[in-house]
Amino acid sequence: MSQRKASGDTGRATIRDVAEQAGVSVASVSRVLSGNYPVSETLRRRVMKVVRDLDYVTNAHARSLAGGGGTPTVAILINNITGAAFAHVAKGVEGAASLRGWLSLVGTTGDDPERELTLVNLMRQQGVAAVILLGGAYGLDEYQMRMARFARSLDAAGSHLVLVGRPPLEGDVPATTVDYDNEGGAYAMASHLLSAGHRRILVLPGHAELTTAQGRLTGAQRAFEAYGVPFDPGLVLHGTYDYEHGYDAVEQALHHTPDFTAVLAGTDVVAAGAMQALRAAGLRVPEDVSIVGYDDIPLASQLTPQLTTVHVPYEEMGRVALRAVADRRESGAGRRKGSDGDHLVLGTHVVVRQSVRPPARRS
């Protein structure tokens, strides 16, 4: 039994206690625990025996401050932890981090830009290896300015900001962006509906202030222009990316502009709500109204009929984001303006299932 335990001291052991019991310096204990420095097998065994005897739990933050490096930690900030799409991004980040022995922390922003900024600053203070922000951003000037300031502050502290599924920050900002062809996916999906003969399409792109929604709306408008079909702004209803918005928007449209023959939903979850609202109104999908989604989460293939949607490689985006941080950290290379890897864009594509047919005449 160790002297510490024999004395009846039930307080948590410190690294100094380990060093004292092992008869070595604190620096030697730190080197053994970090695994980043070569040490003799004799020293390693001696220190680890004391660690077990004292039931010592490493304080990763203290090790980092002491220069031992510790276990790198990546902070994943997500709008809503229950949201299926970006939960897959978080899964990709966590899986890639785990393979490297890194730790992952998850924080939720609640779709609040102020809370997002607060969490980024908090993670900077905690000394994480990287902060990975998931999902669309807000195009507000003050928000962009403050986020750029935090990115520079993270960089100065040896950390890094990674933006996933949102546009890069303007100017020379030390951040990596891992994006997908959001606008192109919406263009392809709207084109699919237009090529099937639909001309009156209800568009539910998301919040008007959200960059994700702006890109999806722009892509749809480009498709209308390419097909020479007038685009009716009155058939655009903005709202949240949830089931309730899909249901309420379709219910509202059926009262005010009931001549639409298709619904282009901003997410698969919105599409599910829209589909239920159509059924509640006695309309069939796709016989009376066609409907498409965006994301290609598992829900899309579980709906009846199965949903035609845009596939986004969310999990791969998470893996790419973590690899970008790890490669940068392991190489020790600083950011170079315009260098490869600052802005990575992954492709999207339409997954054709059973929810689209040529328009039918409705009474």
Side-chain angles (χ1 to χ4, degrees), residues 126 167 171 247 266:
Q126 293 299 312
Y247 191 103

Side-chain angles (χ1 to χ4, degrees), residues 190-203 220 223-233 235 259-263 290 357-360:
S191 297
H192 181 72
L193 289 173
L194 290 163
S195 66
H198 294 279
R199 295 296 180 264
R200 299 286 291 169
I201 301 174
L202 178 65
V203 182
F224 273 80
E225 183 179 353
Y227 275 76
V229 176
F231 183 82
D232 183 0
L235 284 175
D259 62 336
F260 64 91
T261 63
V263 179
S290 292
R357 284 190 185 178

